[in-house]
Amino acid sequence: MEKLIIEARINEYAMREVNAKVPWTPAEIARDAADCRAAGAAIVHFHAREDNGAPSHQADTYGECISRIRAASDVLVHPTLGFVALDAAPKERVGHVVSLAKDAARRPDFAPMDMGSTNIDRYDAAKGRFRTTDLIYKNSTATLRHFAQAIAGAGLKPYLVSWNIGFTRQALAFLELEWVARPAFLLFVLTDGEVLAGHPGTPEGLDAHLNQLPDDPGLHWSVCNFGGEMLGLVDKIIAAGGHIAIGLGDHHYGAFGCPSNAELIARVAARARALGRDVATPQETREMLAMDR
Ligand code: ZN
């Protein structure tokens, strides 16, 4: 079986109420990324943050994060596109990645494409109420085609994201049309907690994705669980030949002693080795995904 690609999802927009080890500043992000790399991660996914943890909307902050990550380790860099307004124009949403790609020191490796649209209101089940009722994460086919062209044009690897089977079908159509090249990388976003848009973070939720997936050697898949812990799914994913994306951005892991991102990555890497599956380095990941540089 191919080596396991571990991605550290280090922060998203997580705060520090439960686990204070969420990195926010560029320096913290770079140090955390290097620690995760040392623990077995091949990819780091980050969101730029202000010093107080608020989302950063500055392309330069993304550039600073990437140059610091690059200086500290060889981990592959996967920034979010989600730092601009949800209703911004497609060109604006992908623009920072395209401009950063022109500068070797600030160049990302991946750029994400969420392959469909969905409600992303948060539902507080304990209180029985929605916190918002009108948040739509909108990614039209035209927007996604623009992203595919812009990302390929910038020489970056598209990172396909599926929240449910409809997103996966859209991703497969893009592969069929060769709007996205094989080998492709596809992340299944399971959602526990307050976001209802994904399949639940259960074996059944994951199986619903996998049952829909064609047997295609040109399609590598990974799994995260936004809003919930994922250690309970790690053995299943490793055995099924998938890859793993995990970190404090998705969940605080308070019930597991509030580990750091690197401690979480080390746990996954140890589990993989115990189950007879080696862990991929960044360079091996580049080769598996046919990334140019
Ligand atoms: Zn993210």
Side-chain angles (χ1 to χ4, degrees):
M1 195 176 285
E2 70 183 6
K3 291 189 178 182
L4 176 71
I5 299 170
I6 306 177
E7 175 175 3
R9 290 172 50 85
I10 60 173
N11 63 358
E12 300 297 308
Y13 292 122
M15 299 307 283
R16 293 173 172 167
E17 293 95 341
V18 181
N19 189 332
K21 295 169 187 158
V22 181
W24 287 346
T25 66
E28 290 167 354
I29 286 171
R31 195 179 320 122
D32 206 74
D35 290 346
C36 289
R37 163 70 178 105
I43 307 171
V44 63
H45 171 65
F46 76 94
H47 292 230
R49 308 283 291 268
E50 301 292 345
D51 290 352
N52 65 0
S56 166
H57 301 292
Q58 304 301 318
D60 271 348
T61 312
Y62 278 82
E64 188 188 348
C65 289
I66 295 171
S67 61
R68 283 175 179 265
I69 292 169
R70 294 263 181 247
S73 84
D74 64 348
V75 72
L76 300 175
V77 178
H78 171 207
T80 186
L81 293 192
F83 82 113
V84 292
L86 285 176
D87 56 357
K91 208 173 161 189
E92 199 181 326
R93 289 175 60 195
V94 76
H96 68 302
V97 170
V98 170
S99 66
L100 290 170
K102 292 174 184 154
D103 175 353
R106 309 200 308 168
R107 179 184 168 79
D109 294 290
F110 294 95
M113 298 171 49
D114 286 71
M115 299 303 295
S117 304
T118 182
N119 292 357
I120 50 166
D121 295 302
R122 289 175 181 252
Y123 177 64
D124 183 338
K127 292 186 179 152
R129 66 179 180 91
F130 279 97
R131 294 185 193 279
T132 58
T133 53
D134 60 357
L135 290 183
I136 299 175
Y137 186 29
K138 190 175 156 192
N139 295 290
S140 72
T141 300
T143 294
L144 292 170
R145 187 167 193 207
H146 175 85
F147 285 179
Q149 289 170 332
I151 291 166
L156 306 180
K157 186 74 181 174
Y159 183 112
L160 308 180
V161 182
S162 168
W163 291 58
N164 60 51
I165 289 169
F167 282 46
T168 298
R169 297 180 71 188
Q170 176 96 350
L172 294 174
F174 271 51
L175 290 181
E176 193 171 302
L177 292 166
E178 299 182 352
W179 291 357
V180 169
R182 287 187 177 81
F185 195 68
L186 175 67
L187 174 73
F188 298 126
V189 178
L190 309 176
T191 62
D192 274 343
E194 296 191 339
V195 174
L196 307 178
H199 300 193
T202 59
E204 294 77 12
L206 176 57
D207 279 337
H209 274 295
L210 299 183
N211 291 340
Q212 172 64 26
L213 205 60
D215 186 13
D216 180 345
L219 184 57
H220 303 263
W221 56 272
S222 186
V223 187
C224 74
N225 185 20
F226 184 75
E229 76 89 9
M230 207 176 69
L231 291 172
L233 284 177
V234 158
D235 284 15
K236 176 180 171 68
I237 297 163
I238 291 169
H243 303 283
I244 291 176
I246 190 169
L248 300 182
D250 289 332
H251 186 66
H252 49 64
Y253 288 87
F256 298 83
C258 290
S260 65
N261 280 307
E263 285 164 347
L264 268 179
I265 299 301
R267 233 174 128 142
V268 172
R271 204 58 212 141
R273 293 187 183 107
L275 293 169
R277 199 161 162 206
D278 282 338
V279 174
T281 64
Q283 185 54 36
E284 288 166 341
T285 300
R286 281 181 193 283
E287 287 160 17
M288 287 159 69
L289 301 180
M291 294 162 70
D292 295 332
R293 44 180 175 159

